[in-house]
Amino acid sequence: MATKSKRTASKTKNESTSEEDDLLMTEEPEVTVSIEDLPGVGPATAEKLREAGFDELLAIAVMSPSELAEQAELGEAVASKIIAGAKKMANIGGFVSGGALLDRRREVLKLSAKVQSIDDLLGGGFETQALVEVYGAFGSGKTQIGHQLAVNCTLPVSEGGLDGDIFYIDTEDTFRPERITQMARGLGLDPDAVLSRIHVARAYNSAHQILLVDEIKRLSRGMNVKLIIVDSLTSHFRAEYVGRGMLAQRQQKLNRHLKELKQTADVNNALVLVTNQVHSKPDAMWGDPTKPVGGHVLAHASTFRLYLRKAKGGRRIARLVDSPNLPDGECIYQVTEEGLRD
Ligand code: GTP
Ligand code: MG
């Protein structure tokens, strides 16, 4: 069976071109069967399909014959045959038993915040195979949580860590190795050993941010990646896609980005932590004039949402807002020089 790589040209990471945009729109998780393997597809037809953006079986399988015929400039009978082949060969996924799902859930690990009240709120810690969103106003402590979890992740499993490597996508230039050093010392760890396991990349724009997930996929093969942090998930998207007219496009890209992140987490039995801002809009339900940005796309993608607030005396409040299996609730903790503490 042919294994084809769909990306032919490697690109400089920080350039944002329309070509790159095309890539972002059409790129899919790795495939093991290429479109050349479809019945009735020779090199010329394959080229037509690729030019029309159909470089992957699932994209073809979901088309109607008339649509595919029109978009790829094929005869309808040919299109119909190609679609039928794609439906058979595409990895559509399927139903699995509850028992199989339970087996998968048993692989879930928990990363401790090393703060009892936070771990309790989360039923023992931050779960792998999940996407956790931490949102709150500026200065509420989102980046502090990212730093702390990065440090904790290097701890052995017996001490609440995941004994794993960390990828940190920094969009706001707020990653501070000095802060990691303080927090590592706070846990009695060797700061250099901790820093050597945290792999940081600055994302210059949203397209670059998206490409960095590919880079994580590539680099993670020989590693024990257990935590992927995107701090902040939404700032570039917000800055670049301004106004109603851009909203649909923004949400589409964000959705795709989140799916890629989640998939990378699942493959590695890792946790994804993303931070998010709030926009000020009075909200009767929470009695707090803030709500996370990112809309439904992000709301649906996050397995857990934690809302951070500052409280009196330098304390912080974390509220668990959305969880598939835990009650909503709140906890109080502190940010100290050594890191997060009860
Ligand atoms: P934005 O990214 O601006 O939206 O904010 P954020 O939510 O990421 O806030 P961040 O995590 O950067 O929190 C900053 C706050 O953490 C500071 O205002 C301090 O209150 C606290 N903090 C950071 N470092 C230290 C430290 O070394 N000691 C103490 N006590 N507090 C710290
Ligand atoms: Mg921050």
Side-chain angles (χ1 to χ4, degrees):
M1 200 172 278
T3 308
K4 292 255 159 73
S5 167
K6 281 182 280 98
R7 287 181 69 178
T8 44
S10 72
K11 295 183 63 63
T12 317
K13 286 286 169 260
N14 55 2
E15 60 185 354
S16 173
T17 60
S18 60
E19 191 192 336
E20 187 176 88
D21 275 356
D22 292 345
L23 252 175
L24 297 173
M25 294 302 285
T26 54
E27 201 184 33
E28 273 294 331
E30 267 186 272
V31 288
T32 47
V33 187
S34 82
I35 57 172
E36 279 85 357
D37 298 322
L38 288 168
V41 176
T45 309
E47 199 179 322
K48 279 186 180 177
L49 286 167
R50 283 190 204 283
E51 268 173 19
F54 297 99
D55 54 359
E56 197 246 330
L57 298 190
L58 195 56
I60 297 170
V62 298
M63 297 299 285
S64 75
S66 60
E67 278 175 324
L68 186 65
E70 192 194 321
Q71 290 185 32
E73 293 172 9
L74 302 169
E76 217 170 298
V78 177
S80 181
K81 187 174 168 192
I82 294 173
I83 290 167
K87 277 184 176 153
K88 272 191 207 141
M89 291 165 77
N91 182 10
I92 292 169
F95 293 92
V96 293
S97 71
L101 281 182
L102 191 61
D103 282 345
R104 185 145 170 69
R105 286 285 304 161
R106 283 200 188 103
E107 288 171 18
V108 166
L109 301 167
K110 286 185 181 174
L111 173 60
S112 170
K114 298 302 264 180
V115 176
Q116 196 61 50
S117 64
I118 298 180
D119 285 354
D120 288 347
L121 184 70
L122 294 171
F126 293 79
E127 283 185 3
T128 58
Q129 298 176 27
L131 191 140
V132 179
E133 175 196 350
V134 175
Y135 70 93
F138 66 91
S140 58
K142 305 180 290 290
T143 298
Q144 299 304 309
I145 291 213
H147 280 60
Q148 184 72 62
L149 289 185
V151 173
N152 297 359
C153 183
T154 66
L155 285 167
V157 175
S158 60
E159 290 173 39
L162 300 175
D163 194 13
D165 288 294
I166 299 97
F167 281 101
Y168 198 116
I169 299 179
D170 180 12
T171 73
E172 300 184 312
D173 206 12
T174 52
F175 178 83
R176 291 290 174 276
E178 300 86 341
R179 194 70 187 112
I180 297 293
T181 298
Q182 289 176 330
M183 289 175 166
R185 290 213 175 98
L187 290 176
L189 296 169
D190 171 14
D192 292 334
V194 172
L195 283 166
S196 72
R197 299 187 80 174
I198 306 175
H199 313 280
V200 188
R202 175 86 207 280
Y204 295 97
N205 54 45
S206 67
H208 186 206
Q209 182 179 328
I210 290 167
L211 283 175
L212 284 170
V213 182
D214 291 342
E215 198 59 12
I216 292 175
K217 281 189 198 163
R218 195 178 66 76
L219 293 169
S220 63
R221 277 178 200 135
M223 284 170 141
N224 185 33
V225 179
K226 283 286 165 271
L227 174 62
I228 299 165
I229 297 171
V230 188
D231 181 20
S232 129
L233 175 78
T234 43
S235 58
H236 283 319
F237 287 93
R238 276 182 100 185
E240 293 164 27
Y241 296 87
V242 182
R244 287 248 145 237
M246 303 278 268
L247 192 63
Q249 207 192 346
R250 184 190 85 179
Q251 293 305 86
Q252 221 171 38
K253 295 235 167 165
L254 191 58
N255 194 25
R256 188 61 164 269
H257 183 43
L258 285 161
K259 289 215 164 100
E260 296 272 310
L261 282 166
K262 182 66 171 46
Q263 194 214 9
T264 313
D266 287 350
V267 167
N268 291 286
N269 193 17
L271 155 75
V272 179
L273 185 93
V274 303
T275 68
N276 187 21
Q277 291 127 343
V278 286
H279 42 195
S280 14
K281 195 167 69 178
D283 175 13
M285 191 162 76
W286 297 110
D288 195 297
T290 51
K291 271 199 138 194
V293 304
H296 292 300
V297 162
L298 186 48
H300 289 302
S302 336
T303 325
F304 302 93
R305 308 189 100 179
L306 272 182
Y307 175 35
L308 305 188
R309 274 175 298 161
K310 274 186 175 176
K312 281 188 197 125
R315 289 182 303 170
R316 315 275 154 165
I317 302 171
R319 174 193 272 268
L320 182 66
V321 176
D322 212 354
S323 150
N325 58 343
L326 293 168
D328 287 4
E330 281 191 353
C331 75
I332 296 178
Y333 64 97
Q334 291 188 21
V335 181
T336 73
E337 193 177 315
E338 291 79 37
L340 310 188
R341 292 290 181 272
D342 270 299

